[in-house]
Amino acid sequence: MALFVHKYGGTSMGSTERIRNVAKRVAKWARAGHQMVVVPSAMSGETNRLLGLAKELAPSRASTAYHRELDMLAATGEQASSALLAIALQSEGQPAVSYTGWQVPIRTDSGYTKARIESIDDKRVRADLDAGKVVIITGFQGIDEGGHITTLGRGGSDTSAVAVAAAMKADECLIYTDVDGVYTTDPRVVPQARRLKTVSFEEMLEMASLGSKVLQIRSVEFAGKYKVPMRVLSSFTAWDIDINEEATSGTLITFEEDEKMEQAVVSGIAFNRDEAKISVLGVPDKPGIAYQILGPVADANIEVDVIIQNMSKDGRTDFSFTVNHNDYARTLDLLKEKVVPALNAQEVVGDTNICKVSIVGIGMRSHVGVASKMFRVLSEEGINIQMISTSEIKTSVVIDEKYLELAVRALHKAFDLDQPTA
Amino acid sequence: MALFVHKYGGTSMGSTERIRNVAKRVAKWARAGHQMVVVPSAMSGETNRLLGLAKELAPSRASTAYHRELDMLAATGEQASSALLAIALQSEGQPAVSYTGWQVPIRTDSGYTKARIESIDDKRVRADLDAGKVVIITGFQGIDEGGHITTLGRGGSDTSAVAVAAAMKADECLIYTDVDGVYTTDPRVVPQARRLKTVSFEEMLEMASLGSKVLQIRSVEFAGKYKVPMRVLSSFTAWDIDINEEATSGTLITFEEDEKMEQAVVSGIAFNRDEAKISVLGVPDKPGIAYQILGPVADANIEVDVIIQNMSKDGRTDFSFTVNHNDYARTLDLLKEKVVPALNAQEVVGDTNICKVSIVGIGMRSHVGVASKMFRVLSEEGINIQMISTSEIKTSVVIDEKYLELAVRALHKAFDLDQPTA
């Protein structure tokens, strides 16, 4: 007997028919003798519907009181889907009970709409499991010290599932979604892209933050912190496939580095089309320059990704960074208005026709020349590199957006990702 | 400064536009210096939508576990509408906070889908009121001893509002609905029907149970038990009408009998078309006969209204009662199959073309001849009375359904209800 946490996304819970399928799948696992905790998202569309109503009524200035009510509102989506799943399981003859975040309780801080989990009390859940029930826990939400409902932000159900799995020392946390795993890159760009049978937690972190939107990044951080084995797999396989086949499908996110004797150097190629580049040119090269430029940007709540400061020349330097497309115009205005005059910089220029391509691999740690191989491959394709940013297990380049597909395909091939691994 | 509880029904909360109107109305009361607690129902249609989803997934046999999940599910409707109302109030510049039943907490027994309120802790609510906030409390729901969500059954928001008003010793509980008060009878039957400015709690109880569906009967019982002044008024007046005009509109349900020097003998004419009559003829007249007939009916969960046992003749008697139309065929089958053979009764006959008409008035207590006046009026109209049932403040007759309008109009006129009272 093992203890498993299943998490089902909004699409998997999107209709009563789909909820019935989830129930049949979970009942199959329970019949196989496992203890089952299930964390469902709201039915697809429901969270947007609720927040749409709130938007129509929203005050002109947001406040903590407003965010508190948004959480009261949004939390109902998961409460409803959880109750429906419990009912569907009962219809399958499987005893089941659903709990909200506050009933478990899942304790969080008071950061409404983006709360963080602090602790989970599993006593109640464990008693029900021991009594033979499947326990359903609402994703996405908890309760703060003052007894207010909180939510973890969009996609927070992944984090709920991993947190519950960690608190209960579950054998594995299975994230059922509408894709069947993590791929070496986007199959729409590279038809030869392969599903990874395993991926390390650090690689997954880099891939998630670079745009492989399979998992919510916070859930992966959580899984890493508590060493929760986590599997991404499809909820659109037939519910009655062999349980052993199902239990080994998808992609397993691991924490044991030396599991494989021969680690692939590069595990995947990630990319992001949503960024824009901004450069502040001819900035006096003196201490505090990065803060003087990026401080106002951060104050405006604009997230910055790649940051590059070039070598200084004649006492002046160029400073470049990328932001999301949506923040591009606002960032440019801000710099022109506040930063350029204050710094006596020469000019601010920007470019929205860029993209970021990254190679990710835990093997890069112990292999030299991986980055330079990337640069060579791109050079051979005649692709000019505009910015470079590196970390221990990732190398990212910013290039002209029109070369995205070409670059990803060339790198996918050059790093042997087209071939199945042994 | 006074403390008021406002309750708004599902129709009043039916869209964001209507919720905004409720917010403007409540903000007006708060600006006038009153402490305000608001109990909203779910947006109209929402509870049916949720229970419809549950029905699609429901197990073939209902169980406590299933009813528990139904309450988890249905309670989300009021949680969402309460949060939306808090947001709308904030948009009006009025500080507001919403609480679910469990947050207050409103403690109930564990009778899922039809729980009864046991206690309300008003500490938290009072602190917010004292801090100048409008407090919104989800109607219809509470929490049981085990920490499970419970609901009070359809229409339970009225009961929630009255219970909160009782617990907080509110000056008045105002039930905003889609009618503007309690009438002497249905204006669709008698155009001269007048709105009552006041009605006694006992009269309201008799009228509610007799089919004046303005208020949930349990809320009136609750109001009577705790002497909560309760007003029924329309939420479809303009939100910005004069507050004093609004505060004296509708119908006030009172508990002080001697308030009016000259009490009207009859306050209203109630009627019900939904009943059917069943008679068991030629039953041996011996002890236990009523139980032997009605026991199996009660066991089948069929509600019985008027019950008449005739005088015995030659050792045999006739036994008649009314049930809801929907239960008619089932009751007949049950009697023919089980009761008639066991009792050696002669025959079971039934009639669905009947209706019940009642005169209700607290003044009947101290006035003789009220019932006989009713019988005379009906007789003058040539209407045959099939069954009679009386209580202290009500007399009901069962008559042929085709005479309903005639009977109601004649009684309305005969008891001087067509004329405005002084």
Side-chain angles (χ1 to χ4, degrees):
Chain A
M1 186 182 73
L3 168 59
F4 290 105
V5 175
H6 279 195
K7 185 262 170 181
Y8 291 90
T11 319
S12 312
M13 298 288 294
S15 65
T16 48
E17 198 191 339
R18 289 189 178 170
I19 291 173
R20 195 176 288 118
N21 272 321
V22 168
K24 286 178 190 293
R25 190 183 297 276
V26 171
K28 175 183 73 179
W29 283 70
R31 274 196 305 271
H34 299 304
Q35 293 195 323
M36 299 298 302
V37 175
V38 185
V39 178
S41 295
M43 294 176 78
S44 56
E46 181 63 5
T47 307
N48 284 337
R49 184 183 76 84
L50 292 167
L51 295 180
L53 292 171
K55 206 170 169 187
E56 287 179 42
L57 294 168
S60 51
R61 283 179 54 177
S63 63
T64 304
Y66 170 61
H67 286 137
R68 179 199 180 276
E69 299 301 331
L70 281 184
D71 281 2
M72 276 288 268
L73 181 67
T76 62
E78 279 75 15
Q79 184 173 325
S81 66
S82 294
L84 288 170
L85 180 55
I87 289 169
L89 276 160
Q90 292 168 2
S91 293
E92 297 297 322
Q94 171 59 53
V97 62
S98 74
Y99 291 119
T100 60
W102 62 265
Q103 283 178 318
V104 172
I106 295 177
R107 300 200 178 279
T108 72
D109 63 21
S110 298
Y112 301 120
T113 73
K114 50 178 195 308
R116 295 197 163 252
I117 295 175
E118 290 178 343
S119 69
I120 296 179
D121 183 347
D122 69 347
K123 210 173 342 158
R124 183 170 203 168
V125 176
R126 213 169 275 282
D128 283 318
L129 291 176
D130 290 343
K133 290 180 197 168
V134 167
V135 177
I136 298 149
I137 299 176
T138 55
F140 176 62
Q141 64 195 265
I143 183 172
D144 74 1
E145 212 182 346
H148 305 285
I149 291 176
T150 55
T151 72
L152 311 180
R154 297 310 287 265
S157 292
D158 285 356
T159 306
S160 300
V162 174
V164 167
M168 304 199 65
K169 305 197 194 316
D171 292 84
E172 202 173 286
C173 179
L174 293 87
I175 309 283
Y176 286 84
T177 177
D178 47 6
V179 298
D180 68 349
V182 179
Y183 277 71
T184 51
T185 195
D186 187 336
R188 284 170 300 186
V189 171
V190 183
Q192 296 85 350
R194 288 178 304 100
R195 183 167 53 76
L196 294 162
K197 284 185 89 72
T198 63
V199 63
S200 79
F201 141 71
E202 290 102 329
E203 288 168 332
M204 193 62 216
L205 271 185
E206 293 290 3
M207 295 214 216
S209 63
L210 289 169
S212 305
K213 286 160 189 148
V214 180
L215 281 173
Q216 206 214 8
I217 183 86
R218 277 168 64 193
S219 73
V220 182
E221 289 170 10
F222 223 100
K225 189 166 167 190
Y226 294 101
K227 306 250 181 293
V228 178
M230 197 173 171
R231 185 179 295 276
V232 177
L233 68 173
S234 172
S235 68
F236 291 108
T237 56
W239 69 266
D240 55 353
I241 64 165
D242 178 73
I243 192 169
N244 294 314
E245 186 186 326
E246 186 173 324
T248 53
S249 69
T251 300
L252 180 68
I253 300 160
T254 60
F255 305 92
E256 286 138 42
E257 280 190 35
D258 47 4
E259 199 173 74
K260 287 187 282 178
M261 290 294 286
E262 203 60 54
Q263 183 90 40
V265 176
V266 168
S267 293
I269 316 289
F271 57 86
N272 186 347
R273 301 175 200 264
D274 296 336
E275 297 196 16
K277 181 178 74 165
I278 292 175
S279 299
V280 187
L281 306 178
V283 187
D285 187 13
K286 55 186 182 188
I289 203 72
Y291 174 71
Q292 280 179 283
I293 293 173
L294 295 182
V297 175
D299 290 347
N301 217 8
I302 295 167
E303 210 169 322
V304 169
D305 184 22
V306 182
I307 303 168
I308 308 278
Q309 186 172 344
N310 285 0
M311 290 282 287
S312 165
K313 202 177 122 185
D314 306 330
R316 287 193 173 258
T317 186
D318 300 334
F319 191 94
S320 299
F321 58 94
T322 63
V323 295
N324 190 285
H325 265 203
N326 299 331
D327 294 322
Y328 176 70
R330 200 154 61 96
T331 311
L332 268 191
D333 290 349
L334 186 98
L335 292 173
K336 284 179 180 159
E337 201 179 306
K338 293 196 181 159
V339 176
V340 169
L343 279 182
N344 191 26
Q346 282 167 353
E347 199 183 353
V348 174
V349 295
D351 186 357
T352 57
N353 294 318
I354 56 128
C355 67
K356 186 173 68 170
V357 175
S358 309
I359 57 174
V360 177
I362 209 155
M364 289 167 70
R365 279 188 188 152
S366 47
H367 285 73
V368 292
V370 177
S372 69
K373 179 172 175 183
M374 178 189 200
F375 305 151
R376 175 173 58 76
V377 170
L378 295 176
S379 146
E380 281 168 6
E381 300 291 341
I383 300 170
N384 185 41
I385 298 171
Q386 303 179 21
M387 297 167 85
I388 297 171
S389 163
T390 62
S391 80
E392 231 187 329
I393 65 164
K394 169 193 79 163
T395 302
S396 302
V397 296
V398 169
I399 59 174
D400 191 321
E401 193 180 13
K402 70 181 174 194
Y403 294 127
L404 187 138
E405 285 82 3
L406 178 61
V408 172
R409 283 179 201 140
L411 292 168
H412 199 266
K413 188 160 192 295
F415 285 103
D416 297 326
L417 296 174
D418 288 1
Q419 270 76 46
T421 44
Chain B
M1 186 181 75
L3 169 59
F4 290 105
V5 175
H6 278 194
K7 185 263 169 178
Y8 291 90
T11 319
S12 312
M13 298 290 293
S15 66
T16 49
E17 198 191 339
R18 288 187 179 173
I19 291 174
R20 195 176 288 118
N21 272 321
V22 168
K24 285 179 191 291
R25 190 184 297 276
V26 171
K28 174 182 75 178
W29 282 70
R31 275 197 304 273
H34 300 305
Q35 292 195 324
M36 300 297 301
V37 175
V38 185
V39 178
S41 295
M43 294 176 77
S44 54
E46 181 62 4
T47 308
N48 283 338
R49 184 183 75 84
L50 291 167
L51 296 180
L53 292 172
K55 207 171 168 187
E56 287 179 43
L57 295 167
S60 51
R61 282 181 53 178
S63 62
T64 304
Y66 171 62
H67 287 136
R68 179 199 179 276
E69 299 301 329
L70 282 184
D71 281 2
M72 275 288 269
L73 180 68
T76 63
E78 279 74 16
Q79 184 173 327
S81 67
S82 295
L84 288 170
L85 181 54
I87 289 169
L89 277 160
Q90 292 169 1
S91 293
E92 298 296 322
Q94 171 59 53
V97 62
S98 74
Y99 292 119
T100 59
W102 62 265
Q103 283 178 318
V104 171
I106 296 176
R107 300 201 178 280
T108 73
D109 62 21
S110 298
Y112 301 121
T113 73
K114 49 176 198 307
R116 297 199 160 248
I117 295 176
E118 289 178 344
S119 69
I120 295 180
D121 183 347
D122 70 346
K123 212 174 340 158
R124 182 170 203 168
V125 176
R126 214 169 274 284
D128 283 318
L129 291 175
D130 291 343
K133 290 181 198 166
V134 167
V135 178
I136 298 149
I137 299 176
T138 54
F140 176 62
Q141 63 195 267
I143 183 172
D144 74 0
E145 211 181 348
H148 305 285
I149 291 175
T150 55
T151 73
L152 311 181
R154 295 313 285 263
S157 291
D158 285 357
T159 306
S160 300
V162 174
V164 167
M168 305 201 62
K169 304 196 196 317
D171 291 85
E172 203 172 286
C173 179
L174 293 88
I175 309 283
Y176 287 84
T177 177
D178 49 5
V179 298
D180 68 350
V182 179
Y183 277 71
T184 50
T185 194
D186 187 336
R188 285 170 299 186
V189 172
V190 184
Q192 296 87 349
R194 289 177 303 100
R195 182 168 51 77
L196 294 162
K197 285 184 91 70
T198 62
V199 63
S200 79
F201 141 72
E202 289 101 331
E203 287 168 332
M204 192 63 216
L205 271 186
E206 294 290 4
M207 296 215 215
S209 63
L210 289 169
S212 307
K213 285 159 190 149
V214 181
L215 282 172
Q216 205 215 6
I217 183 86
R218 276 169 63 193
S219 74
V220 180
E221 290 170 8
F222 223 100
K225 189 167 169 192
Y226 294 101
K227 305 250 180 295
V228 179
M230 196 174 174
R231 183 179 295 276
V232 177
L233 68 174
S234 171
S235 68
F236 291 108
T237 57
W239 68 265
D240 55 354
I241 64 166
D242 177 74
I243 192 171
N244 294 314
E245 188 187 324
E246 186 173 325
T248 54
S249 69
T251 300
L252 180 67
I253 299 160
T254 60
F255 304 93
E256 286 138 44
E257 279 190 34
D258 48 3
E259 200 173 73
K260 287 187 284 178
M261 290 295 285
E262 203 60 55
Q263 184 90 40
V265 176
V266 169
S267 292
I269 316 290
F271 56 86
N272 187 346
R273 302 177 200 264
D274 297 336
E275 298 195 16
K277 182 178 76 166
I278 292 176
S279 300
V280 187
L281 306 178
V283 186
D285 188 14
K286 54 185 183 188
I289 204 73
Y291 174 73
Q292 279 178 282
I293 293 173
L294 294 183
V297 175
D299 290 346
N301 217 10
I302 295 167
E303 209 168 323
V304 169
D305 183 22
V306 182
I307 302 168
I308 306 281
Q309 185 173 345
N310 285 0
M311 291 282 287
S312 163
K313 203 177 122 184
D314 305 330
R316 292 196 169 253
T317 185
D318 300 335
F319 192 95
S320 300
F321 57 94
T322 63
V323 296
N324 191 285
H325 265 202
N326 299 331
D327 294 322
Y328 176 70
R330 199 154 61 96
T331 311
L332 269 191
D333 289 349
L334 185 97
L335 291 173
K336 284 179 182 160
E337 200 178 309
K338 292 195 181 163
V339 177
V340 169
L343 279 181
N344 189 27
Q346 283 167 354
E347 197 183 356
V348 174
V349 295
D351 186 356
T352 57
N353 295 318
I354 57 127
C355 67
K356 185 173 68 171
V357 175
S358 309
I359 57 174
V360 177
I362 209 155
M364 288 166 71
R365 278 187 190 154
S366 46
H367 285 73
V368 292
V370 177
S372 68
K373 180 173 174 182
M374 180 189 199
F375 305 151
R376 175 173 56 76
V377 170
L378 295 176
S379 145
E380 282 168 5
E381 299 292 341
I383 299 169
N384 185 41
I385 298 172
Q386 303 180 21
M387 298 167 86
I388 297 171
S389 161
T390 62
S391 81
E392 231 186 329
I393 65 165
K394 169 194 81 163
T395 302
S396 302
V397 296
V398 170
I399 59 175
D400 191 322
E401 193 180 12
K402 70 182 176 194
Y403 294 127
L404 186 140
E405 285 81 3
L406 177 62
V408 172
R409 282 179 201 139
L411 292 168
H412 199 266
K413 188 158 192 293
F415 285 103
D416 296 325
L417 295 174
D418 289 1
Q419 270 77 47
T421 44

